[in-house]
Amino acid sequence: MIYIIICLIIGLICAGFAIKKGKSPVVWFFLGALLGPIGLICAMFSPKAAKPPEDMPSRAAKE
């Protein structure tokens, strides 16, 4: 039971890192919950999400 609680807490921490870095918090929550400390280390050291170039039109503008 305590292992499940720890995994959920690690998942929440990973989701927090994902929000700060512009990534999907849902995906990182599950990665953190399933991988535990390894997922936390990956979330901490993952690079920020790349922003699309400003001069390129977005996909919504084409539709």
Side-chain angles (χ1 to χ4, degrees), residues 52-57:
E54 295 295 326
D55 58 342
M56 295 189 69

Side-chain angles (χ1 to χ4, degrees), residues 4-50:
I4 294 171
I5 294 171
I6 291 172
C7 285
L8 291 176
I9 291 170
I10 290 174
L12 289 172
I13 294 169
C14 287
F17 278 115
I19 291 170
K20 286 183 180 180
K21 295 184 179 200
K23 297 186 176 194
S24 172
V26 175
V27 171
W28 280 97
F29 170 80
F30 285 112
L31 282 174
L34 293 174
L35 298 177
I38 295 171
L40 183 59
I41 292 169
C42 290
M44 287 172 45
F45 293 110
S46 68
K48 288 187 176 182

